[in-house]
Amino acid sequence: MIFRPLSLVLLLLVAFLPIYFAATQPAQQTRTPIKHVIIILKENRSFDNLFGTYPYGHGDALKGNPIVKELSIPDGVLYMNVEVPNYPGLGFLFGYTKLAYAASPVQQDPGEGWIDYHGDWDYGRMDGFAAYSGPQSMVYIDYDQIPFYWDYAEEYVLCDNYFTAVMTESLPNFLALWSGTTVVSNDVGPPPYLPLNDTIFYQLSQNNVSWGVFGLYSSAQSPPPSEIGWLDDVQGFAGNPAMMSHVYNMSVFYQMLKNNTLPAYVFIDDYGIAHGVSDHPPDNITYSEMWTVNVINAVMQSPEWNSSAIFVTWDDEGGFYDHVPPPQINGLGLGLRTACLVISPYAKEDYIDHQVLSHYSLLKFVEWNWNLPYLNGYVANANLPLAAFNFNQKPRPPVILGPTPDIAGTLGVNRGYVYFENGSAYALTAVQASKQYPVPLQIPIDELPYAAPQNYSGDMGFTASYNYVTPSWVLPVQFYLLLSSLALLVAVLAFNGRGPSSLDLRSPLLVIAIALDLLGSALGIIYPAVPPAPLPPAQPTYSMLTGIGLFVLAVEIVILALPLIKRFSEKKPGELSR
């Protein structure tokens, strides 16, 4: 009897000691001087929309500027006369839409989603934007609207081969940035849910690496599940104190910076943070950029700056035109190209990183830096953004941009004013903003320890090849088959004096019309305009021409059957049994 209590104590020690040591083990050491990775995820912009004419601007407006003329040139559209057909393959009939400068910080919202983005892409031909995301997709902006983003590109690193993870809208790309995978192909659900154990949040917690998700919520910490956005699509996140305790108001972010208590991994999303203050059209992108500058300025003016790396990128390209076809790494992507800015005291100056990077690369950098295993093969096979850094250099002093008010966060926009958490209001026009680019370089170009400028050479650095491609001749052939079928149908209706109800089954014109329509519709089904999504929701993948062709085919079959139907209906009841 005396040994039973002792045995019980030993059993309890064996059970709980591993948990105790796991909870009290020191945080993982890093491979680099970077102790804080801050990801600011913006919304819905392509690379060409933001930086297509960097560094000169529309019409080469600043080409002669003494600072600008020395800057590196990325893979953009500076000297390209870009136009896309209003319908792929049929521009000679339906005309073309040219890429144009949007002389405003406010643009219309292009079409979004798996169908629209894959239609824009058109199997790498990059000519479907006007037809799928709409003519509003064919615009770009420059330093007049986003001077501070251009300043960061000038002072730090701009990645011009950075792609989204999945060729679709926000939710799948958020999930991929958090886990290296997705469970949906569009903004749907939940369900389905992304398993919590597959996320960077769970991995960091298990390895005692601090992390936080920041936004404008109704409480300083652990906000209601209804406010956490896409995090609600992670199974076991909402309502889980172990996870929700890492979700903070932006005011806590600024306080942590002052107290030198910022987590190792920081994720900030601008969409939904404030009404009218987002990069997502039709919000004013100049106001949204100003909010981002406030966040970055706060990091730069804090004790955390010398050990931080800030990545500013966009969740998806938003339907805006981009001319670079993405490489294929799996059945889901990569997605279309967006931009990524790398800002750090160890980031290079005026550096264009041309290597292929993606949302997976940011996830990999976090895991690599903290010596963690990669979540899956997509993350493991992604390129690391190490070329953007020089960890041997002395930490660079911050580049504080402005003018921006010294406040904690943005609440909304009304009548040209931006409203902030402390109750103040601030007005910023595009004209005022445009005077902020360029800014003087910290290091003269000829003193940089690497080749400069880093101009795009014309070599993308990869081959955009795909496992399956719908041939470019399919849509024109479909169109002519449909047109011929319609012409024959009109001829049948026009030249049969007794009207459609008496058309003979043997009418050769109608039979030929049906055959042509069948062939055209079959082509559209065999060669879909958009590849089918391997994840929910199920979506139609045939083109508009295929849809019209199937409708016309149904009409032709009905017309063909009308004489038989009429004869059958005219028979007397007694004749039907004979």
Side-chain angles (χ1 to χ4, degrees):
M1 296 293 292
I2 192 169
F3 294 104
R4 287 185 179 178
L6 181 60
S7 300
L8 183 60
V9 170
L10 289 173
L11 284 172
L12 289 172
L13 284 172
V14 170
F16 286 101
L17 273 176
I19 298 175
Y20 170 79
F21 284 118
T24 57
Q25 66 179 341
Q28 294 276 351
Q29 295 298 307
T30 59
R31 295 177 187 245
T32 72
I34 302 302
K35 307 299 180 185
H36 308 281
V37 170
I38 302 167
I39 297 174
I40 303 176
L41 191 62
K42 308 293 288 183
E43 287 278 334
N44 289 51
R45 297 285 172 167
S46 71
F47 185 92
D48 282 343
N49 176 258
L50 295 171
F51 295 101
T53 60
Y54 177 86
Y56 301 149
H58 67 284
D60 286 350
L62 296 180
K63 189 174 183 179
N65 182 282
I67 297 176
V68 172
K69 68 181 182 181
E70 292 189 307
L71 298 179
S72 300
I73 301 174
D75 182 5
V77 293
L78 257 180
Y79 301 113
M80 296 171 62
N81 183 22
V82 177
E83 61 179 15
V84 299
N86 291 327
Y87 199 85
L90 298 170
F92 60 94
L93 285 175
F94 298 108
Y96 294 82
T97 297
K98 288 183 176 291
L99 183 66
Y101 172 63
S104 168
V106 177
Q107 291 89 49
Q108 296 181 53
D109 190 13
E112 301 174 39
W114 178 276
I115 297 294
D116 286 341
Y117 291 1
H118 280 80
D120 297 341
W121 164 68
D122 192 21
Y123 297 93
R125 290 181 281 267
M126 312 304 287
D127 63 355
F129 289 88
Y132 283 86
S133 285
Q136 66 269 35
S137 67
M138 297 298 294
V139 296
Y140 66 89
I141 54 181
D142 67 6
Y143 63 88
D144 273 330
Q145 295 83 25
I146 49 170
F148 303 128
Y149 290 159
W150 281 38
D151 287 336
Y152 289 133
E154 169 198 347
E155 293 288 349
Y156 297 103
V157 178
L158 172 64
C159 305
D160 71 347
N161 261 339
Y162 187 98
F163 298 87
T164 61
V166 191
M167 199 181 297
T168 185
E169 53 193 335
S170 295
L171 174 57
N173 280 292
F174 271 74
L175 298 181
L177 186 52
W178 293 336
S179 70
T181 189
T182 180
V183 293
V184 291
S185 61
N186 263 347
D187 292 354
V188 296
Y193 288 93
L194 178 72
L196 176 63
N197 291 11
D198 292 345
T199 67
I200 186 67
F201 310 125
Y202 182 82
Q203 184 186 45
L204 293 173
S205 294
Q206 290 296 105
N207 289 276
N208 202 32
V209 178
S210 59
W211 61 276
V213 176
F214 296 86
L216 279 183
Y217 305 116
S218 60
S219 57
Q221 190 176 10
S222 302
S226 60
E227 297 181 10
I228 63 175
W230 301 130
L231 288 172
D232 193 37
D233 290 75
V234 178
Q235 192 167 31
F237 195 104
N240 181 349
M243 294 292 112
M244 292 296 292
S245 61
H246 293 271
V247 183
Y248 305 95
N249 190 284
M250 281 299 295
S251 59
V252 178
F253 172 79
Y254 293 106
Q255 194 60 47
M256 286 178 167
L257 286 174
K258 294 177 182 178
N259 297 340
N260 200 20
T261 57
L262 191 70
Y265 172 88
V266 172
F267 183 87
I268 301 173
D269 168 31
D270 80 335
Y271 192 55
I273 280 181
H275 173 67
V277 187
S278 164
D279 283 7
H280 193 304
D283 285 2
N284 186 313
I285 193 171
T286 304
Y287 296 143
S288 174
E289 181 197 46
M290 187 176 70
W291 178 86
T292 307
V293 171
N294 282 324
V295 174
I296 296 172
N297 280 350
V299 176
M300 289 182 169
Q301 293 169 320
S302 77
E304 314 285 21
W305 166 246
N306 278 351
S307 59
S308 293
I310 304 170
F311 296 92
V312 181
T313 189
W314 287 257
D315 63 342
D316 61 78
E317 97 289 354
F320 285 108
Y321 175 81
D322 194 83
H323 75 281
V324 176
Q328 178 172 299
I329 65 164
N330 54 48
L332 292 175
L334 293 171
L336 298 181
R337 191 175 64 147
T338 187
C340 183
L341 295 164
V342 184
I343 302 165
S344 171
Y346 297 98
K348 295 176 181 176
E349 181 188 77
D350 181 40
Y351 190 82
I352 306 294
D353 193 340
H354 298 298
Q355 70 173 326
V356 175
L357 300 170
S358 69
H359 292 339
Y360 300 126
S361 300
L362 302 192
L363 191 55
K364 182 173 183 176
F365 181 80
V366 173
E367 294 176 315
W368 174 85
N369 192 51
W370 274 274
N371 297 285
L372 304 176
Y374 299 130
L375 284 169
N376 56 41
Y378 299 142
V379 179
N381 293 328
N383 290 326
L384 280 166
L386 296 181
F389 298 96
N390 180 4
F391 293 118
N392 295 319
Q393 73 184 16
K394 181 181 178 182
R396 294 171 55 191
V399 178
I400 305 297
L401 299 179
T404 58
D406 182 20
I407 41 74
T410 309
L411 291 178
V413 173
N414 186 25
R415 296 184 180 179
Y417 287 86
V418 185
Y419 291 89
F420 301 101
E421 285 184 322
N422 63 1
S424 64
Y426 188 81
L428 180 69
T429 68
V431 174
Q432 289 173 312
S434 67
K435 297 177 182 178
Q436 301 301 311
Y437 172 83
V439 293
L441 291 165
Q442 275 192 341
I443 308 169
I445 294 292
D446 57 4
E447 295 181 15
L448 293 173
Y450 44 85
Q454 294 283 320
N455 293 342
Y456 172 62
S457 65
D459 179 11
M460 290 191 301
F462 65 93
T463 301
S465 59
Y466 307 102
N467 295 336
Y468 174 82
V469 174
T470 289
S472 59
W473 54 262
V474 169
L475 283 177
V477 169
Q478 260 195 296
F479 175 78
Y480 285 118
L481 287 172
L482 176 59
L483 192 64
S484 301
S485 177
L486 283 170
L488 290 172
L489 177 60
V490 170
V492 168
L493 295 175
F495 296 113
N496 191 295
R498 292 175 295 173
S501 62
S502 61
L503 291 177
D504 193 276
L505 179 64
R506 294 166 296 178
S507 172
L509 292 179
L510 192 57
V511 171
I512 294 172
I514 290 175
L516 292 174
D517 219 344
L518 274 172
L519 180 58
S521 299
L523 273 176
I525 294 171
I526 295 170
Y527 297 108
V530 171
L535 296 169
Q539 300 165 80
T541 59
Y542 51 78
S543 68
M544 180 177 65
L545 281 179
T546 304
I548 295 173
L550 290 171
F551 174 77
V552 173
L553 179 63
V555 171
E556 291 167 342
I557 291 173
V558 169
I559 292 174
L560 185 65
L562 278 177
L564 289 176
I565 295 171
K566 183 178 180 181
R567 290 172 192 169
F568 186 80
S569 63
E570 288 176 349
K571 284 190 176 184
K572 296 179 180 179
E575 296 176 329
L576 294 176
S577 60
R578 294 177 186 176

